[in-house]
Amino acid sequence: MLRIGIVGLGGRMGHALWDCCQGMDGVKVVCGIDRNAETLPAGCTAETVADPELLKEIPDLFVDFSRPEASLKVLKFAVAHKLPVVLGTTGFSAAQKDEIRQASKAIPVVFAANFSVGVNVLLNLIAKTAAVLQDADLEIVEAHHRYKVDAPSGTALAMGEAAASARHVALKDVMVAGRNGDTGARQYGTIGFSSVRGGDIVGDHTAMFCCDGERLELKHIATSRQTFASGALRAARWVADKKPALYSLNDVLGLK
Ligand code: NAD
């Protein structure tokens, strides 16, 4: 039996993970970490605390969909107790990503901005397309629900990274996010990002490769958070007996 601790149990993804675990063989949610005890899933009996240091029962691993500050606290705790972590939270700064890399020297960490298998396929297609259509202007458009707090989305950034690395450039050198005002003409080689926020959109991502005379669009639409939850739980089962390292969903799916 894999005993899981869910970080962000009271949130949208926490609920999706809880639902996914109910009735799943070989998996049990034994605890939650959340600063808000008011929004736990209905019928949830797992011990839930605001800080991992307060846990009475330590899980076999953590699945984290919360906020960067909560994730980093849990990572520190996981390193001290040698527990694997599946990390789905987005919005980390470059310095915070370094902390994740550092922790993964001591414990196995699966880190993915998007745990949907379809998005993983999309990332691979974007890398191939960006390499073939070297001169195409790439624009990435993402849309999410009104409560999302970071932009561009972690998935949009992962799409940009996939294209940039296929073109042998650093994303930070070519990224243009949120144009406004007197922008001037588009610069060759840049990758543009636009973010839409509204309603209950689960997550739409489009990569537009714009050439003269034609345009190729690669699009993914998530219609339910269950797709992220089941991908994260697949990663949890996979990582439970792995050596310390930083893993991606490609590793989990055996695509690399
Ligand atoms: P949410 O706001 O609904 O839930 C976050 C939960 O974390 C809340 O219950 C909140 O109380 C808790 N929390 C926040 N800060 C905390 C802290 N310091 N200590 C303890 N608890 C804290 O958000 P959500 O929609 O569930 O998304 C959570 C994260 O997962 C976001 O970063 C989102 O972008 C990301 N996400 C990733 C994927 C993926 O596939 N990787 C998919 C969906 C969402």
Side-chain angles (χ1 to χ4, degrees), residues 8 10-14 33-36 39 50 65-67 69-70 88-90 112-115 145 148 150 228:
R12 281 172 288 268
M13 276 306 300
I33 311 286
D34 206 300
R35 63 181 172 194
N36 185 359
T39 58
F65 287 76
S66 59
R67 290 281 177 276
E69 61 276 17
T89 299
T90 63
N114 195 307
F115 274 95
H145 54 88
K148 184 160 180 64
D150 53 317
F228 310 129

Side-chain angles (χ1 to χ4, degrees), residues 1 4 8 24 30-31 37 40 61 69 73 76 101 125 145 163 169 173 192 217 238:
M1 176 68 72
I4 295 182
M24 186 183 260
V30 293
C31 62
L40 296 181
L61 58 75
E69 61 276 17
K73 209 185 263 185
K76 212 168 165 188
R101 265 188 287 277
L125 290 174
H145 54 88
V169 293
D173 295 336
E217 296 192 2
W238 178 87

Side-chain angles (χ1 to χ4, degrees), residues 38-56:
E38 309 289 301
T39 58
L40 296 181
C44 173
T45 49
E47 175 199 17
T48 301
V49 292
D51 189 304
E53 298 292 344
L54 301 171
L55 283 174
K56 291 196 202 83

Side-chain angles (χ1 to χ4, degrees), residues 16-184:
L17 286 160
W18 171 266
D19 291 346
C20 214
C21 286
Q22 304 313 302
M24 186 183 260
D25 286 340
V27 166
K28 185 175 183 212
V29 180
V30 293
C31 62
I33 311 286
D34 206 300
R35 63 181 172 194
N36 185 359
E38 309 289 301
T39 58
L40 296 181
C44 173
T45 49
E47 175 199 17
T48 301
V49 292
D51 189 304
E53 298 292 344
L54 301 171
L55 283 174
K56 291 196 202 83
E57 184 176 356
I58 294 182
D60 296 331
L61 58 75
F62 287 107
V63 177
D64 174 294
F65 287 76
S66 59
R67 290 281 177 276
E69 61 276 17
S71 311
L72 293 179
K73 209 185 263 185
V74 163
L75 269 181
K76 212 168 165 188
F77 181 87
V79 166
H81 293 267
K82 298 268 172 256
L83 307 175
V85 176
V86 173
L87 198 50
T89 299
T90 63
F92 293 102
S93 66
Q96 288 172 326
K97 283 185 185 163
D98 276 345
E99 286 189 53
I100 296 167
R101 265 188 287 277
Q102 207 53 37
S104 71
K105 291 180 181 161
I107 55 167
V109 178
V110 184
F111 184 31
N114 195 307
F115 274 95
S116 113
V117 176
V119 163
N120 203 66
V121 173
L122 176 73
L123 293 177
N124 290 312
L125 290 174
I126 286 173
K128 285 201 176 106
T129 310
V132 175
L133 298 180
Q134 279 283 349
D135 294 331
D137 295 332
L138 174 54
E139 291 288 311
I140 295 173
V141 183
E142 55 100 346
H144 282 86
H145 54 88
R146 63 170 73 92
Y147 301 108
K148 184 160 180 64
V149 295
D150 53 317
S153 70
T155 304
L157 293 170
M159 291 162 70
E161 296 279 2
S165 92
R167 287 177 173 176
H168 309 293
V169 293
L171 180 59
K172 67 175 173 47
D173 295 336
V174 294
M175 176 169 175
V176 176
R179 295 185 189 87
N180 185 27
D182 188 6
T183 60

